[in-house]
Amino acid sequence: MTHKILVLAGDGIGPEIMEATELVIGALVKRFGLDVSLEHALMGGAAIDDCGEPLPASTLDLARRSDAILLGAVGGPKWEKIDRARRPERGLLALRSELELFCNLRPAVLFAPLAASSTLKPDVVAGLDIMIIRELTGGIYFGEPRGIEVAPDGTRSGRNTMVYNEHEISRIARLGFDIAGKRQGRLCSVDKANVLETTELWRDIVTSLGDEYPAIELSHMYVDNAAMQLVRNPKQFDVIVTSNLFGDVLSDLASMLTGSIGMLPSASLDADGKGMFEPVHGSAPDIAGQDLANPLATIQSLAMMLRYTLDESAHAERIERAVARTLDKGYRTGDIYSDGMQKIGTRAMAEQVVTALGD
Ligand code: IPM
Ligand code: MG
């Protein structure tokens, strides 16, 4: 069966990392028999320039009809001045919400040859392998009421609402237990239950679900402590499950443990395992169009797509081995460069991965 993939390159470095990733797709199709068809559509700033909307109805429609979505990055200074409701990021949030992609998987894995690229001491991060599970369609990102109000005396107030219902908490928590069961069996639920009632409920629900998973070692941690523990002793974690906002912050933090945010892929899945796959990093407008961006986060997002949604794990493993091999050979983009390595650009990095597919 032909898998239908929708490609949304987006803005900034999006188009070049996507072109690089398409080289890998092309090689898997040509040399290893992967059966996919690609369709391209506009989203984010590119779509605003085209039709005034960050998520055009035609793109959403294609997204619903495809088997999986590969996304580059969205946003940039060019669109920062326009009305908040029409900014590129809103397109991304709308896509997550419309497709009910509530489960965001953000693995933070350190490739051994990159231990020196982390700002932390190599022995603190060597062998690091954490899975952060971020709730993606609820919490303060989507809660109502929200907005900026002006009082009669002219004082402005901004408001957002952090809200989770039982169903939203238990479905993401269950995934946390299931995924921990396939790894080292340790789940850490991160909240702020000492202050926020939303997360008091979160902790209650996760705790009671724990009874159904006796084989999983469940722990709870306040988010401030979790941030500290992630830099103090990150290897204490196996799987972290947390809310939308906390997951946003902690996943950027965890990315630096692995050397560069340019390395980290992500998967955003719905209840049936269908989803969207994107690098954790943003559109990096400062280096866009210069062949400097690291394409490995997007290439590994492709691997996650093949594993989690398209049921093509042999191809996923082939990509992951090729990425590891390419790093072993000493090839580096600027963000992961260290002395003695060979510095190459976006496209050349993808070409090296393509070469290593057959290794
Ligand atoms: C992320 C990003 C997005 C988020 C932005 C671009 C809306 O930071 O995917 O982590 O906050 O979710
Ligand atoms: Mg983020």
Side-chain angles (χ1 to χ4, degrees):
M1 196 193 70
T2 307
H3 305 297
K4 283 195 288 183
I5 301 177
L6 177 65
V7 175
L8 304 172
D11 312 315
I13 58 172
E16 54 200 297
I17 53 177
M18 200 54 83
E19 242 172 69
T21 304
E22 285 188 42
L23 289 180
V24 178
I25 298 176
L28 288 174
V29 169
K30 247 208 196 115
R31 287 163 48 203
F32 300 98
L34 177 66
D35 190 2
V36 297
S37 68
L38 301 186
E39 231 174 319
H40 297 80
L42 294 178
M43 137 108 189
I48 294 172
D49 289 349
D50 184 66
C51 68
E53 293 283 338
L55 179 62
S58 55
T59 298
L60 180 58
D61 192 48
L62 276 172
R64 289 193 202 284
R65 286 191 285 109
S66 59
D67 296 318
I69 304 159
L70 192 61
L71 177 78
V74 296
K78 181 174 174 194
W79 305 282
E80 262 160 26
K81 295 249 144 54
I82 58 180
D83 176 30
R84 261 183 212 91
R86 303 180 94 83
R87 285 198 195 147
E89 292 79 0
R90 286 297 171 96
L92 178 60
L93 296 173
L95 197 51
R96 289 172 178 172
S97 167
E98 287 290 330
L99 300 180
E100 287 184 76
L101 306 174
F102 68 92
C103 173
N104 187 213
L105 304 179
R106 297 191 161 185
V109 176
L110 181 82
F111 286 87
L114 295 187
S117 304
S118 174
T119 45
L120 271 75
K121 295 191 191 96
D123 61 300
V124 174
V125 293
L128 184 86
D129 181 354
I130 303 177
M131 177 65 88
I132 296 184
I133 305 177
R134 169 187 177 194
E135 198 292 327
L136 201 60
T137 52
I140 200 165
Y141 270 56
F142 294 95
E144 298 282 349
R146 64 186 298 161
I148 298 174
E149 287 153 34
V150 190
D153 72 355
T155 310
R156 287 176 300 164
S157 307
R159 183 197 314 272
N160 288 94
T161 303
M162 184 164 180
V163 53
Y164 272 114
N165 65 36
E166 294 195 59
H167 165 68
E168 290 170 311
I169 298 169
S170 59
R171 70 178 174 179
I172 193 77
R174 281 190 185 285
L175 278 166
F177 284 107
D178 289 342
I179 289 171
K182 292 181 191 147
R183 295 171 46 103
Q184 295 168 37
R186 289 181 294 119
L187 179 65
C188 179
S189 170
V190 170
D191 61 40
K192 188 71 187 173
N194 51 346
V195 179
L196 305 174
E197 285 81 356
T198 339
T199 70
E200 204 177 294
L201 179 67
W202 178 286
R203 187 176 285 220
D204 283 353
I205 291 173
V206 177
T207 303
S208 53
L209 278 176
D211 297 342
E212 293 177 37
Y213 299 86
I216 304 298
E217 188 190 309
L218 173 65
S219 61
H220 302 272
M221 207 179 265
Y222 298 139
V223 62
D224 48 351
N225 185 27
M228 180 182 80
Q229 296 298 336
L230 272 168
V231 286
R232 192 184 74 87
N233 175 20
K235 282 185 268 181
Q236 69 184 283
F237 296 103
D238 176 21
V239 180
I240 290 175
V241 65
T242 192
S243 62
N244 205 340
L245 180 62
F246 298 163
D248 179 47
V249 176
L250 294 181
S251 59
D252 266 31
L253 194 159
S255 74
M256 259 333 280
L257 307 173
T258 70
S260 168
I261 196 166
M263 291 298 298
L264 293 199
S266 80
S268 307
L269 305 171
D270 71 7
D272 303 318
K274 232 186 106 169
M276 176 158 81
F277 300 80
E278 56 179 309
V280 171
H281 64 68
S283 60
D286 52 321
I287 59 163
Q290 299 171 50
D291 196 42
L292 292 174
N294 185 346
L296 295 179
T298 315
I299 290 171
Q300 294 185 91
S301 299
L302 169 67
M304 289 189 89
M305 172 192 287
L306 291 163
R307 171 169 297 116
Y308 287 101
T309 297
L310 302 182
D311 202 16
E312 297 278 7
S313 53
H315 289 290
E317 278 157 29
R318 187 168 281 126
I319 293 175
E320 285 159 356
R321 274 198 311 270
V323 168
R325 223 17 230 123
T326 303
L327 295 170
D328 283 343
K329 289 179 193 165
Y331 294 110
R332 301 283 188 275
T333 42
D335 57 313
I336 49 173
Y337 178 76
S338 57
D339 278 350
M341 297 296 125
Q342 190 170 340
K343 199 187 265 185
I344 58 175
T346 310
R347 192 181 171 87
M349 183 58 107
E351 285 166 355
Q352 287 302 333
V353 172
V354 165
T355 304
L357 285 173
D359 283 7

